[in-house]
Amino acid sequence: MLKTRETRVEERKEEKRSEKRDRILRSAEAAIFLDKGFHAASMNEIAEAANVSTPHLYNFYASKAALALAVQLKMGQETFDALKTAMSAGEKNP
């Protein structure tokens, strides 16, 4: 099935939004939360590190707590994926 121009435009917008969300999460995790801690971190610093405006950051995450939760979920998923990979590698090479 051929995609319409509108569908391609919407897909591209969502792809850019997803990339921006990932950049925000990486910035919050690495540059701010792990370095300064939750209480010392500010949404302004996170926005600056992610190269987005602070109001735009709030379009993605309603609060610092919501952003911290998203970072924790991302880190948990990465840990789970790494363990799953290691376990499946161990099954192939006993």
Side-chain angles (χ1 to χ4, degrees):
M1 180 171 124
L2 292 174
K3 294 181 182 179
T4 65
R5 181 179 186 278
E6 293 166 351
T7 302
R8 289 191 308 268
V9 168
E10 287 303 314
E11 286 175 350
R12 184 65 185 138
K13 281 182 183 179
E14 182 54 39
E15 185 178 308
K16 283 185 173 187
R17 188 168 171 79
S18 179
E19 289 170 3
K20 194 173 290 186
R21 185 180 296 111
D22 289 343
R23 190 171 70 234
I24 290 168
L25 286 174
R26 283 192 313 272
S27 297
E29 175 186 352
I32 309 303
F33 289 139
L34 293 178
D35 192 36
K36 297 183 103 180
F38 175 79
H39 293 292
S42 74
M43 291 295 268
N44 289 339
E45 290 174 311
I46 294 166
E48 187 176 314
N51 198 28
V52 298
S53 69
T54 303
H56 194 62
L57 176 61
Y58 281 102
N59 289 333
F60 289 90
Y61 300 99
S63 66
K64 185 169 65 167
L67 178 53
L69 178 60
V71 168
Q72 289 175 339
L73 292 172
K74 176 183 168 287
M75 292 173 75
Q77 185 63 52
E78 289 169 351
T79 301
F80 175 78
D81 292 343
L83 288 171
K84 191 169 136 183
T85 300
M87 290 173 65
S88 65
E91 291 173 0
K92 294 176 187 172
N93 301 322

